[in-house]
Amino acid sequence: MKVMEALYDGLLYPAEQVVPDTPRYHEAVKAIHEIMCDFEGSLDKEIYKRIDSLLDLEAESSDIMEMEFFKYGLSLGMKLSQESDEMIKRLLSCKTDKDMIDPDSEVMIAPQENIGQTMDEAVQ
């Protein structure tokens, strides 16, 4: 299935689908669970509830940060893709060495073997 179709169908939800699969992550989750069980058995119920609320707030702030990281990374990836598409188009349209000068930096772009190909052929 293509990404756009999966997105449209609601099948992409990284916040719930991506779970770290490293020993370090699993050890940390296990340690948190054990500590919370110790607290629940030894602390006053009100104090335990406050600690549990604190952990909920920490998880919520982490979710917000992860969303911002995701949005930033996605935006950066889209900009990178756009720039590379523009560079490929410019390279494919070059006919002479003079055409291969980058207008933004006046540096010659290295010749490519795929000059003359269509965009679809070049990116495959």
Side-chain angles (χ1 to χ4, degrees), residues 60-73:
E60 185 178 342
S61 69
S62 290
D63 287 345
I64 293 167
M65 284 181 13
E66 288 170 12
M67 172 61 89
E68 293 303 314
F69 295 151
F70 175 80
K71 290 189 310 189
Y72 178 78

Side-chain angles (χ1 to χ4, degrees), residues 46-80:
E46 199 56 42
I47 293 173
Y48 177 80
K49 284 181 184 178
R50 291 190 66 197
I51 291 173
D52 196 40
S53 294
L54 174 66
L55 290 175
D56 287 344
L57 289 171
E58 177 64 30
E60 185 178 342
S61 69
S62 290
D63 287 345
I64 293 167
M65 284 181 13
E66 288 170 12
M67 172 61 89
E68 293 303 314
F69 295 151
F70 175 80
K71 290 189 310 189
Y72 178 78
L74 183 61
S75 174
L76 196 59
M78 292 174 73
K79 288 176 183 176
L80 182 61

